[in-house]
Every structure is written in structure tokens, then in C-alpha cells.
Amino acid sequence: FFFFFFFFFPTFLPSQFSRTLPLTGIPLAATVAFSLSDLSRCSHSLTLDLAAMATSAFGTTTATSNYRNGGAANARNLPKNSSVKSKTGVRKSAPGSLGGGGAASSSSKDDAGVPGRVRVAVRLRPRNAEEMVADADFADCVELQPELKRLKLRKNNWDSDTYEFDEVLTEFASQKRVYEVVAKPVVESVLDGYNGTVMAYGQTGTGKTYTVGQLGDEDMAARGIMVRAMEDILAGVSLETDSISVSYMQLYMETIQDLLDPTNDNISIVEDHKTGDVSLPGATQVEIRDHHSFLEILKLGEDHRFAANTKLNTESSRSHAILMVNLRRFVKGKDSAVSSENSSSLQTVKSLKPSVVRKAKLVVVDLAGSERIHKSGSEGHTLEEAKSINLSLSALGKCINALAENSPHIPVRDSKLTRLLRDSFGGTARTSLVITVGPSPRHRGETASTIMFGQRAMKVENMLKLKEEFDYKSLSRRLDIQLDKLIAEHERQQKIFEDEIERLTAEAERQLSDAERNYVQALEKERSKYQKEYLESIKKLEEKWIMNQRKSVNDENKLRHKDVGSNVLPNAKESKVAPMEENPEMKKLLEKETAHRKAVEEEVWTLKTQLAESRRSEALQSSEIVKLRKMLDDEAHQKEKLEMEIGKLQSHLLQLSVEADETRRQLDSGGSEEVLSGLDSLLHQPRQPQSDNSETGDKESVAKLFEQVGLHKILSLLEAEDADVRIHAVKVVANLAAEDGALPWIVQNANNEAASVRRHIELALCHLAQHEANSRDMINGGAVWEMVRISRDCPREDIRSLAHRTLTSSHSFQAEMRRLG
Ligand code: ADP
Ligand code: MG
């Protein structure tokens, strides 16, 4: 022991020695053994990142008494789990728990978790009014040494057992301090993602409910663990991403009742065998958004608890109150060490990591009174009932004993409570137990048993584990979004690519056509250049040739001259031939060109003559056409004349027949013989066939008629009784129609009431109208209207159609009708 101390903690030696030694008493060996094993475990766990979990658990008072769960500092606190009680000879190393010892320390924290013992604090209730009186003469049965974290349980006046706890809270300890040392480390651990349990154990009336469940609505300072825990949780989470839900239940006689819904009185426990999670899905879960709503929940639960217990005829001390807080937290930016190595290439991978959700559960249990029910009868319960009432609590004790003794079998399944708290003892939760004791020596036995319970619980080792799960849903959502983005991007890129291809194709085509055009241009230029050159050379050659020819002619002349004088011909001939012979090829070319030119000139000449020929024939044809046209015109004129002649002859005929009729009638009746004979003579008067003097002839005949008969007489005949006379008169009138003065009369009388007369007048009008020469007078005399009327209204079909024909065949009438609209 001394060696150990000197080796590890030389600086602490004096105080540790002086304080511990006198009190430790006999079982030093056991303590040392335990401490050593603890140390070895802790040294292993040094490799783990425990700083995060190592909250200031249990004790902030002295350096020596600081306990840090699993932390390296813990090793220095010598009597880590040392009970000074002489009778407890069962100190063993490494109490049984999940995967304890070296196995845990060698592997990563995610797999094995963090070792952590169940932390136990003891709280002494101050004497109450009754005890003040009743125990006035007696000393308390417990004496606390808080700075040593020790409790002395008085056996008698001269002997006491000393026990050491993780924290010793005197009757003066404030609620705040109790919360901070008992529950705060657990709450912080829950906020970090571990399950946590806080429970109060003790005899009825010792202050369990005061410690755990006090609402503190009247006195803020009196707020208990539940209220303060929720305050810390609300302060520690971000409600935008995280969620808090709460269930509140009561366990009594092995049934779980919902304190938030009294009708829900048999909630079953569901255990996930894979994860070891225990849940109560049947319980009402209320989402907590603020502290006020949580207080309301607690109050509601309390009311329901009271009502339920009244109904069951029991006390709340017989039931366990269980508050379950479920926390879901999003862990943002939780990157592994890999990302820092190669951040750029892993950017995508990093962003595709599913976000992590940490699920943690805080269970706060106000246990039933720990006192044994021997007075079951007096409370109106049968023994069986009493057993059942205490079943859960005794099962808890048994489990803790088994765990403390490192037993291979932990009877967790014996009760609902142990099933529910399965994770809190020997599991993966961080657990704090506060045991409450009263000062009265009258309850020394219960106090002792409570202390023993606490002592055994201290040996229970837990292995904390993070309850993390990947949020695959949101990852999938994120992947979907990313996929959609990529698809859109791909589509965009494709479009750009296609556009680029199109552009390049167009460009290539343009360049191709440019090149082609350039090529053609160059070709053309080259061609014209060569042509020009060729023509120039031809021209030059021609000039040369002409010059040569001239020269040769001159030479010849000279020669001829010389020939006459002197005989130097051969020389001259030589000089003439020489240049030609100089360039025989050129000569050949020249000859060829000359021949070609001649041929072309000949062709041009032929074409010219052909053109002149065709022009001549064309002129001939056109003069022929002119001649024919003239002939046609003459013919038309002739035709018109003849037609007029016919018209005149027709009217003459009419006149003659009228005259004949008149003469006949005169012969018959003798009354108007004179007139008729006059008429007849007029009618039978031979007419001049020549158009030239026909007008004068007509005028003469009319004048004659007027002389002989008088127009008035003729007109009066129109009213004659005899139809024949009337008709005859009309015929005469018709014949006279072309004469001056007759037309207006005819037009006026065209609408004569007497049908027979009218018919003749109408007929006369039609005849008159057939001569284009009359058209002017007729139009001026208003005859067109009459003609139109006749063509429409005349009862005689033939006259109607005659009028119509006449109107439509005359251009003048048509024009007039158009003018009149
Ligand atoms: P339990 O729940 O263990 O049966 P309670 O919490 O109901 O005990 O406490 C019994 C009585 O003692 C209550 O009146 C309570 O106010 C009082 N009491 C308990 N602990 C303390 C304390 N630390 N200081 C003052 N009064 C206390
Ligand atoms: Mg209570």
C-alpha cells in the first residue's frame, strides 16, 4: 500500500495518509487490491478520448475527493471504491459488467464504450418536527463526514461502521448542489448521446420525492432533479434540429400505468434484442418545447398518480415513478479523421455522409419505499400482494447483488423494474443513485439496509455506449437532390455540347464554301490572266506578222524595183524569208490563228445575213397583218352599212304594208281613202338603195307624207276604232320613227293604254333601237327607260326578248344603262 502510494502519488501522500489511515482500519489489503485493479483498468483506458465524458462527476470540493468517470484523474483518488466497513470481505476487482476490463480499453470507443461505475451518493434528511421531539434525547444514527465522503452508521455508543460513498450530502445540502453532484453529470452525458439513469432509493419519508420530483413552484431553490435536468437539457439542445419527448409512468404491482393518460394502465415493455434498447411505445409521449410545458406534464402526472393511488387504495410510497426523457439530436459536421488528410478529393464523399442522429434516454426513477412490508396486514394487503408490491424493488436488489458479485447470471427478467432499468445497471447507461436516509435511530435497520444497497450498487460497473444511428432518410434525400442536380447539369452540358458541335459543323461548312469560292475565284483569275496573256501574245504576234508582211511587201516592191534596175532578187528573197524561218513555230501558229479567224469571220457573216433575212421576212409578215386588219375593218364597216340598209328596208317594208293597208281600207270604206292612198303611195315609194341619199330620201318621204296626210291625221288614226287601221297607223309611225320629231312621240306613247297600239309602238321602238345611228337620239329622248320597261314588262314574249336583245347588243345602250346605274 505504501509502496503504491509512493510510486504513484508522492505529492498526495501526507494528506491521504493522515486522513485515510486512521479510518481505514483493518481491510487495507482488500482496498489496495481493488484500487490496483481499478488503476490498471484506468491506465488502459487512457488511450480513449474520455475528456468529453469526464464531466465533473461527484464532487467539486476537494482535490482528493474528485471522481471522474473512467478518467485518468480517477486513478489518483486512491480509495476509489473502498468501503471501510470491516465486514465486507467481498472486495473484488473489476465488478462484472458488459465487456469490462482490458477488452474494452483496447478497442475503439464506439465499439466498446466507456467504462463507468454506478455512482452513489447518500443524502441525509434533516430531522423533521416529529423527530425533533421523539428523538430529542438521542443522537442521530448516522454521522456524516462529507469532506471524506464517509458515513458512519452508529451501532451503539462506542462502535460504528464507516462507509464511503461517491458523495455524501448532509442535511444542509442544497437542492442545487444535490442536482449538480448526483444528476448533472448524467444529464450532460445524455446530451452527449449516452443513456443515463438517475434514481432515488430509500425508506419512505427520507426525501426521495423531495430530491427527485420537487417542482419548486413556491420556492425556486427547492426544485428537484427532474425539473433541473429538463432545464439543462433544454439549454443544451437546439430545438430546430433536436427533439425532446417525455413519458411519465408509475409502476405498481408489476403493472405500468401511464401518468399522462390514466386510461392507459397496462403499458408493456419492449426490448430490442439487437441494440439492447428498452422502450415503452405504449406510453404517451409528449414533445417538450419549453420548460413550462414540462412542468405542466409533471403536475399532470402527479395529479394522476395521486388519483390512481387513491383508487388502488395504496400510497405513492408503494409505487415507482418513472420519468423517461427521449432525446434525438442531430450531429452536425461530425467528420472522421480521414477528411482532413485529403479534403479536396473527399469533399463529395464527405457531403454524402449520412448525418448522424444520436438517441439518448434519460430515466429518472423515484423508487418505492425500500422498507420491508412486514405490516402488510395493517395496510390491507395480503402477503401475496405485499410480495408483488415489493417484487420489483427486491429484484433490483438481487440484480445489483449479482452484478456486484460478478455473478454470471443477472436476474434482470424477474421484474418489470429490472427489465426497465436493464440498461442502467451493468448496461451501457451512465447511472447515478442517490440513497436517502433519515437521522432517526428508530429506523436504524432500514437505514443500514439502504446503505448496504448503495454500497453494492457502487460496485456495479457500466460500459457507456453512444447510441448513434445514421440518418439514411436524410442522406437519401440529399443524394436525390444531388442526383437531380447532376442530371440537370448533365442535360445542360449535353445541350452545350450539341450546340458546340452544331457551331463547329456550321463553321466547317462555311470554311469549306469559302475555300471553294476562293478556289474558283483564283481559278477564274488565273484563267483570265492566261487568256489576257494569250490574247496579248496573239495581238503581238499579229502586229509582228503585219509588220513582217508590210516589210515583206516593201521588200518585194524594193525587189521589184531593184529587179528592174539590178538583179538582186535572191538577196531580197533571202531577207524576206529569213525572219519567218527564224520562227517557224510562230509562223505555224500565226497561220493557224489566221485560218481560225477567217472561219469565225465567215460564220459571223453568215449569221448576219441570216439575221437580215429573218428581219425582212418579219417585216413582210407584219405588213401582211396590217393589210388583213384593214380588210377586216372594211368588212366590219360594210357589214354595219348593210345592216343599216336592212333596217331601213325593213321599215320601208312596214311603211309600204301600212300604206297598202290604208289604201285598201280607203278603197273599202272611202272615208279615209285619201289618207290611206297617201300612205300607201308613201310606203310603196321606191327607196334609194344608196346610203348617201337615203336620209334625204326619208326626209323627203316624211315631208311628203306630212304634206299629203299630216302627222296629226296619222296620229289620230292611232285612236281609230278599227284595229287594222290602228295597227297600220302604228306601222307608219314606226317607219317614221327615224324622222325628227317622231321619236319623242313614240317614246311618249310607248306606254299607251291600248294594248294593240302599244304593242306596235313597242315594236317600233325596238326596231329603231336596233340602229346604232338612232341610239344617241333615243338615249336623249329617254327611250332607254322605255326599252328596259319593255324588256321586263311587255306581255308579249317575242317583243320582250327583242327589246332585251336590242338592249344587250348595243354598246351605247349598255353604256347608258351603266351610267344610269
Ligand atoms: P419519500 O419520497 O422518500 O417518501 P419525501 O420526499 O416525501 O420522502 O419526504 C418526506 C418529507 O420530508 C417531506 O415533507 C419532505 O418535504 C421532507 N424532506 C425530505 N427531505 C428533505 C430535506 N432534505 N430537507 C427538508 N425537508 C425534507
Ligand atoms: Mg415519495
Side-chain angles (χ1 to χ4, degrees):
F1 183 70
F2 281 125
F3 165 77
F4 176 82
F5 253 73
F6 274 110
F7 193 76
F8 285 101
F9 309 107
T11 51
F12 286 111
L13 180 64
S15 65
Q16 287 288 340
F17 187 76
S18 61
R19 281 186 194 175
T20 318
L21 204 56
L23 290 161
T24 19
I26 300 154
L28 277 177
T31 312
V32 169
F34 183 74
S35 297
L36 273 174
S37 75
D38 244 11
L39 260 176
S40 73
R41 197 163 58 246
C42 290
S43 67
H44 277 299
S45 58
L46 274 174
T47 50
L48 307 175
D49 175 25
L50 298 175
M53 343 270 133
T55 43
S56 57
F58 291 112
T60 48
T61 45
T62 59
T64 49
S65 59
N66 258 353
Y67 267 103
R68 288 187 173 270
N69 280 2
N74 295 358
R76 294 186 185 147
N77 296 317
L78 167 70
K80 185 183 169 193
N81 196 16
S82 60
S83 165
V84 204
K85 183 154 181 342
S86 51
K87 280 172 191 163
T88 50
V90 284
R91 295 279 174 260
K92 277 186 192 168
S93 65
S97 74
L98 281 174
S105 51
S106 60
S107 48
S108 87
K109 70 173 180 187
D110 280 354
D111 291 331
V114 182
R117 193 170 47 72
V118 171
R119 302 280 138 183
V120 183
V122 60
R123 186 183 199 185
L124 176 65
R125 172 177 56 71
R127 282 188 178 199
N128 58 29
E130 188 253 315
E131 284 164 341
M132 294 278 206
V133 178
D135 302 331
D137 299 331
F138 304 96
D140 288 349
C141 73
V142 289
E143 185 192 320
L144 302 182
Q145 293 174 309
E147 65 281 9
L148 298 176
K149 305 192 179 299
R150 283 189 189 145
L151 177 147
K152 280 199 209 173
L153 179 65
R154 213 180 291 278
K155 280 160 83 179
N156 45 54
N157 279 337
W158 59 92
D159 194 11
S160 62
D161 290 330
T162 304
Y163 301 94
E164 200 160 308
F165 286 96
D166 293 310
E167 197 63 44
V168 171
L169 300 156
T170 67
E171 63 268 47
F172 309 111
S174 66
Q175 287 282 76
K176 184 176 192 303
R177 199 173 122 70
V178 171
Y179 168 74
E180 274 169 1
V181 298
V182 174
K184 200 177 172 83
V186 178
V187 170
E188 283 173 347
S189 170
V190 167
L191 284 168
D192 281 340
Y194 300 90
N195 284 349
T197 310
V198 175
M199 60 181 88
Y201 181 95
Q203 193 187 349
T204 300
T206 51
K208 296 184 297 296
T209 306
Y210 181 82
T211 301
V212 166
Q214 192 82 342
L215 294 179
D217 10 14
E218 289 121 33
D219 179 11
M220 270 285 283
R223 286 169 299 153
I225 284 172
M226 286 178 179
V227 177
R228 288 171 195 267
M230 185 53 76
E231 280 169 3
D232 274 2
I233 288 171
L234 279 165
V237 301
S238 148
L239 285 173
E240 282 149 35
T241 51
D242 307 339
S243 73
I244 309 164
S245 66
V246 158
S247 302
Y248 199 18
M249 294 139 297
Q250 167 174 269
L251 171 57
Y252 177 66
M253 295 250 302
E254 292 306 285
T255 46
I256 301 172
Q257 300 149 11
D258 195 338
L259 287 179
L260 303 179
D261 176 13
T263 58
N264 191 10
D265 58 4
N266 194 4
I267 298 166
S268 48
I269 300 168
V270 175
E271 290 156 81
D272 187 330
H273 293 287
K274 243 199 244 160
T275 60
D277 274 352
V278 177
S279 59
L280 300 162
T284 306
Q285 282 208 15
V286 180
E287 193 87 6
I288 301 295
R289 308 293 301 175
D290 54 62
H291 195 66
H292 179 72
S293 64
F294 177 65
L295 284 179
E296 292 302 309
I297 293 288
L298 286 186
K299 273 182 204 157
L300 182 74
E302 226 170 64
D303 291 348
H304 286 154
R305 194 179 183 197
F306 180 79
N309 291 337
T310 310
K311 199 170 128 199
L312 291 165
N313 192 24
T314 180
E315 294 168 35
S316 61
S317 64
R318 297 282 167 233
S319 69
H320 313 275
I322 302 154
L323 176 77
M324 206 176 259
V325 182
N326 281 299
L327 203 60
R328 259 180 80 89
R329 302 195 72 186
F330 259 94
V331 185
K332 272 178 269 167
K334 199 198 168 226
D335 300 323
S336 59
V338 212
S339 58
S340 60
E341 287 170 12
N342 196 351
S343 55
S344 58
S345 68
L346 282 167
Q347 210 74 48
T348 333
V349 181
K350 214 166 103 185
S351 73
L352 292 183
K353 265 177 74 174
S355 55
V356 171
V357 175
R358 276 189 188 157
K359 291 206 297 192
K361 180 176 71 179
L362 173 68
V363 183
V364 182
V365 190
D366 184 358
L367 288 166
S370 63
E371 63 279 0
R372 262 170 276 131
I373 313 171
H374 16 237
K375 304 168 249 170
S376 58
S378 69
E379 285 179 21
H381 294 293
T382 63
L383 191 61
E384 279 312 303
E385 274 173 338
K387 269 186 193 165
S388 179
I389 288 165
N390 250 7
L391 177 69
S392 273
L393 202 60
S394 53
L396 179 65
K398 277 178 199 161
C399 282
I400 284 174
N401 281 345
L403 283 161
E405 282 160 23
N406 230 352
S407 162
H409 175 68
I410 317 295
V412 176
R413 306 202 61 78
D414 281 6
S415 78
K416 288 242 167 107
L417 183 66
T418 47
R419 278 172 64 200
L420 199 67
L421 296 176
R422 173 200 174 98
D423 196 38
S424 309
F425 290 98
T428 55
R430 181 181 295 276
T431 301
S432 270
L433 176 70
V434 59
I435 56 167
T436 55
V437 291
S440 174
R442 285 174 288 149
H443 299 121
R444 203 194 154 278
E446 297 294 352
T447 303
S449 95
T450 300
I451 287 166
M452 288 320 294
F453 182 89
Q455 285 291 299
R456 281 192 296 273
M458 279 178 82
K459 293 187 210 164
V460 176
E461 192 90 8
N462 286 353
M463 191 56 68
L464 300 186
K465 273 188 176 173
L466 269 180
K467 308 273 182 189
E468 284 186 340
E469 60 182 36
F470 289 122
D471 188 358
Y472 286 108
K473 250 190 214 160
S474 72
L475 173 67
S476 141
R477 220 177 304 125
R478 259 183 15 242
L479 284 173
D480 268 351
I481 292 166
Q482 197 143 350
L483 189 67
D484 279 351
K485 264 191 205 157
L486 287 173
I487 287 171
E489 183 57 32
H490 172 73
E491 218 164 24
R492 238 172 275 135
Q493 293 287 344
Q494 184 123 350
K495 181 79 192 27
I496 290 168
F497 176 72
E498 276 165 12
D499 288 354
E500 184 65 16
I501 289 274
E502 215 165 276
R503 196 185 62 76
L504 285 174
T505 311
E507 176 79 359
E509 271 168 12
R510 199 179 55 72
Q511 278 179 1
L512 203 68
S513 67
D514 273 3
E516 263 172 19
R517 205 175 38 249
N518 285 346
Y519 174 72
V520 168
Q521 272 172 3
L523 210 65
E524 187 61 30
K525 223 162 104 186
E526 202 76 347
R527 205 174 67 85
S528 56
K529 194 181 120 195
Y530 282 124
Q531 209 162 27
K532 219 169 114 190
E533 273 175 16
Y534 170 73
L535 286 173
E536 266 168 19
S537 65
I538 293 267
K539 221 164 117 189
K540 266 184 204 158
L541 280 173
E542 266 179 343
E543 275 166 12
K544 224 178 196 176
W545 180 71
I546 288 164
M547 256 167 48
N548 281 345
Q549 221 162 23
R550 243 182 245 150
K551 212 170 153 191
S552 67
V553 169
N554 282 350
D555 286 352
E556 250 173 83
N557 285 348
K558 270 183 196 167
L559 266 176
R560 237 173 261 151
H561 283 294
K562 276 188 182 172
D563 216 8
V564 180
S566 58
N567 223 345
V568 276
L569 187 69
N571 272 348
K573 248 181 193 172
E574 255 168 49
S575 68
K576 183 197 164 192
V577 171
M580 280 302 186
E581 273 175 354
E582 263 172 32
N583 204 344
E585 222 166 280
M586 205 179 270
K587 190 186 162 193
K588 218 190 273 171
L589 208 73
L590 201 65
E591 273 167 8
K592 207 171 133 194
E593 278 305 312
T594 315
H596 185 240
R597 206 178 129 188
K598 258 184 195 159
V600 170
E601 274 171 2
E602 261 166 36
E603 200 161 326
V604 168
W605 174 249
T606 352
L607 283 172
K608 265 184 189 164
T609 47
Q610 271 175 12
L611 189 68
E613 192 66 33
S614 67
R615 272 199 192 134
R616 219 180 2 257
S617 70
E618 204 179 301
L620 260 160
Q621 273 167 13
S622 62
S623 71
E624 196 75 17
I625 287 167
V626 170
K627 242 188 250 169
L628 285 171
R629 208 167 274 159
K630 211 178 156 206
M631 272 161 77
L632 204 65
D633 284 351
D634 287 352
E635 283 299 313
H637 197 65
Q638 204 70 22
K639 191 187 161 206
E640 220 167 84
K641 260 190 198 161
L642 286 171
E643 270 174 357
M644 260 159 80
E645 201 65 29
I646 289 166
K648 273 177 190 160
L649 286 173
Q650 273 176 345
S651 53
H652 261 287
L653 194 66
L654 249 176
Q655 206 174 328
L656 288 173
S657 65
V658 168
E659 277 168 18
D661 282 352
E662 194 61 26
T663 317
R664 206 180 305 132
R665 204 171 349 271
Q666 270 184 357
L667 290 172
D668 288 349
S669 60
S672 46
E673 270 169 302
E674 266 180 281
V675 178
L676 282 176
S677 71
L679 281 174
D680 272 345
S681 70
L682 192 82
L683 283 170
H684 293 297
Q685 197 177 46
R687 288 191 62 98
Q688 296 296 321
Q690 286 91 347
S691 58
D692 296 4
N693 48 11
S694 67
E695 202 180 359
T696 43
D698 275 351
K699 276 197 175 151
E700 272 168 19
S701 64
V702 170
K704 222 178 196 172
L705 189 68
F706 284 172
E707 269 171 29
Q708 286 174 0
V709 189
L711 182 61
H712 191 73
K713 186 84 177 183
I714 297 168
L715 291 177
S716 71
L717 283 176
L718 286 168
E719 265 102 47
E721 271 181 36
D722 192 335
D724 279 342
V725 174
R726 271 199 326 265
I727 289 161
H728 217 83
V730 167
K731 283 178 181 173
V732 173
V733 168
N735 262 324
L736 293 172
E739 303 301 330
D740 288 342
L743 187 66
W745 184 88
I746 290 172
V747 173
Q748 233 168 52
N749 286 275
N751 210 1
N752 198 300
E753 270 111 326
S756 52
V757 175
R758 191 167 65 184
R759 197 188 323 136
H760 286 284
I761 295 172
E762 283 167 347
L763 244 156
L765 251 180
C766 289
H767 285 302
L768 280 170
Q770 277 182 348
H771 298 287
E772 196 67 25
N774 297 331
S775 55
R776 171 74 53 78
D777 290 342
M778 290 192 78
I779 287 164
N780 290 340
V784 178
W785 287 119
E786 284 311 319
M787 287 297 290
V788 171
R789 187 192 56 75
I790 293 161
S791 75
R792 282 183 188 162
D793 303 336
C794 180
R796 279 269 299 265
E797 227 262 288
D798 48 349
I799 297 173
R800 221 162 54 223
S801 64
L802 179 64
H804 182 75
R805 246 190 346 262
T806 310
L807 275 173
T808 48
S809 62
S810 162
H811 292 297
S812 313
F813 287 144
Q814 287 292 319
E816 176 66 4
M817 276 160 77
R818 268 200 300 278
R819 194 182 68 79
L820 295 170

